[in-house]
Amino acid sequence: MRWGAGSISGDMTRTAVLALLARRGPLSRAQIAEMLELSPATITQGTRRLLAEGLLVEEAPRPSAGGGGRPSVPLSLVPGSAHTIGIQVAHEHVTGVTSRLDATVVHSFRHAFDPASPDAVETLTALIRSEIEEIERRGLPLAGVGVAVPGIVEPETGTLSMSVRLGWTGLPLAARLREALGVPVFVDNDISAVTAAERLYGPGADEADFLLAAIGQGIGLGMVLDGAPYRGAAGAAGEFGHMPVQPDGPQCVCGNRGCLESLVSTEALLRTAHEAGILPAESDLDDLGTAARHGDPAAVQLLHNAATLLGRALAGVVNLLGPRSVIIIGEITAIWDLLDDPLHEALLDHLLPAVRDTRIEVRPWHDEVIAASAARVVLAAPLAAPRQRG
Ligand SMILES: [Zn+2]
């Protein structure tokens, strides 16, 4: 596992060790050092603190392989020693989970939410507070709260500079929640949270160069390059949805015309299907998938065109950044079987030979993915948000 040059600080080692043990534990110090490509001294020092805090325990020594050397002592997580709350704020609902240190979700909730309401932040605060009270009532230790929002977040402060979807601008969300709740709160962009969680806990953890394309009502891109998340100078990198792909195309939520998102987001697909009379109003993505699977030529053509556009745009990004893999998440995965072939055709047409082996991996999607990632981001805070500490 490579970590970006200079990104390994004391905190980062801690995060990496906790995530590795959650995925692969129990492991000896030597195994941890080898897998994280860090020195044994760094791991000995890092794990000493985690043992002292009660987050890790030493298991019974095991004879060394071959029987000659010293027996090795496996370390494992104490799953209940820390809990985190993860929250996804979306434009119609708030989803939350409580997660243990080993990343197991032990409780989840979902509430309708109106970000345009004048007391939206107070409502959000109250929802989180009741989850904190539930954790306290059960006597569980709380490490912090991670909040994922659709929009541009300053990684260092947790201030939401702009969210078109929520209609919020210049909102110091992390500071406000921290003050109201009195616990550590980390706020991050939703796709960045999923990307950081994938880097630490997901199958992508062993991958130093990957992209994560989230395709649903909006389209975003998380990037891990040379082991470290890439956020851009102002935390605004990854606005893949606003890549211009069609001159004079439909108007996009950002105000420009012909953005990728205005053509191939799930919202755009449904709008096009309704306008073209392929589906009656009120129908959803499942209905579009059903129509195409039943051979409706207009539905098949609509999805073929969307997949081709998406594949072409993705080819441009892969040619530019050269990742090993592209992970696809989001609501669109429900109809991925209908997009996969035309997308791969478009990729083959446009990928340069050197990156033609880039893997496309589709991850299972469910409503709690972003909230669960936000819960992991609390532990991953040094990775996701270097100085957002409360
Ligand atoms: Zn746009």
Side-chain angles (χ1 to χ4, degrees):
M1 188 189 286
R2 260 189 303 140
W3 298 93
S7 73
I8 286 278
S9 63
D11 274 341
M12 191 58 237
T13 309
R14 172 191 178 91
T15 302
V17 169
L18 290 173
L20 179 67
L21 287 172
R23 286 188 300 124
R24 302 262 188 90
L27 296 167
S28 70
R29 291 173 180 81
Q31 287 171 313
I32 295 171
E34 193 186 326
M35 287 179 186
L36 295 180
E37 296 178 25
L38 292 170
S39 75
T42 303
I43 296 303
T44 301
Q45 195 186 2
T47 54
R48 188 180 300 140
R49 281 201 343 244
L50 294 168
L51 284 160
E53 288 173 45
L55 301 179
L56 302 186
V57 282
E58 288 186 336
E59 296 195 349
R62 290 178 192 165
S64 68
R70 282 193 303 170
S72 76
V73 179
L75 301 177
S76 63
L77 292 181
V78 180
S81 60
H83 289 72
T84 58
I85 296 174
I87 301 287
Q88 177 199 11
V89 185
H91 74 292
E92 285 170 340
H93 54 80
V94 167
T95 306
V97 303
T98 294
S99 173
R100 296 191 313 197
L101 184 61
D102 63 351
T104 305
V105 169
V106 293
H107 181 244
S108 59
F109 66 88
R110 192 175 177 96
H111 285 282
F113 181 67
D114 176 15
S117 147
D119 16 280
V121 176
E122 284 69 29
T123 306
L124 175 64
T125 308
L127 286 173
I128 301 172
R129 184 178 289 122
S130 82
E131 192 69 7
I132 293 175
E133 283 166 0
E134 175 62 19
I135 289 177
E136 284 171 350
R137 199 180 55 73
R138 291 160 62 192
L140 305 174
L142 177 70
V145 178
V147 180
V149 291
I152 297 167
V153 176
E154 292 171 13
E156 295 183 357
T157 59
T159 291
L160 183 58
S161 5
M162 189 194 66
S163 171
V164 175
R165 299 247 155 223
L166 300 178
W168 295 353
T169 47
L171 176 68
L173 188 58
R176 289 214 14 210
L177 291 173
R178 208 176 287 144
E179 192 179 288
L181 298 168
V183 297
V185 177
F186 305 91
V187 175
D188 204 353
N189 165 270
D190 48 7
I191 309 309
S192 298
V194 180
T195 305
E198 175 75 25
R199 172 71 179 114
L200 288 162
Y201 291 87
D206 296 322
E207 200 76 271
D209 297 275
F210 69 86
L211 306 179
L212 183 141
I215 307 164
Q217 290 183 336
I219 296 181
L221 188 75
M223 292 169 269
V224 170
L225 303 173
D226 201 16
Y230 181 72
R231 305 292 301 261
E239 292 294 334
F240 183 41
H242 303 289
M243 177 180 283
V245 291
Q246 185 176 302
D248 304 321
Q251 178 140 38
C252 179
V253 287
C254 73
N256 297 335
R257 287 194 170 274
C259 295
L260 183 66
E261 186 168 308
S262 73
L263 293 156
V264 308
S265 69
T266 55
E267 216 166 72
L269 293 179
L270 288 174
R271 191 189 57 235
T272 311
H274 295 153
E275 284 170 4
I278 300 170
L279 292 176
E282 304 299 313
S283 36
D284 60 17
L285 196 65
D286 286 342
D287 300 322
L288 181 58
T290 304
R293 285 187 199 101
H294 287 165
D296 178 332
V300 171
Q301 190 62 48
L302 169 66
L303 294 180
H304 188 282
N305 293 348
T308 304
L309 269 178
L310 183 62
R312 210 183 287 156
L314 213 46
V317 179
V318 170
N319 284 339
L320 188 70
L321 299 174
R324 278 247 185 272
S325 61
V326 179
I327 296 162
I328 310 280
I329 65 161
E331 286 92 358
I332 198 90
T333 54
I335 56 164
W336 196 258
D337 56 315
L338 298 158
L339 305 171
D340 201 40
D341 285 346
L343 180 112
H344 275 93
E345 273 171 41
L347 285 174
L348 272 182
D349 284 346
H350 297 285
L351 285 180
L352 296 173
V355 290
R356 212 160 275 168
D357 292 337
T358 304
R359 293 190 310 276
I360 305 292
E361 297 174 15
V362 182
R363 289 275 190 275
W365 178 252
H366 56 84
D367 288 343
E368 289 173 10
V369 168
I370 291 175
S373 298
R376 293 171 180 189
V377 162
V378 180
L379 296 170
L383 180 72
R387 288 191 284 279
Q388 245 190 71
R389 317 221 65 174

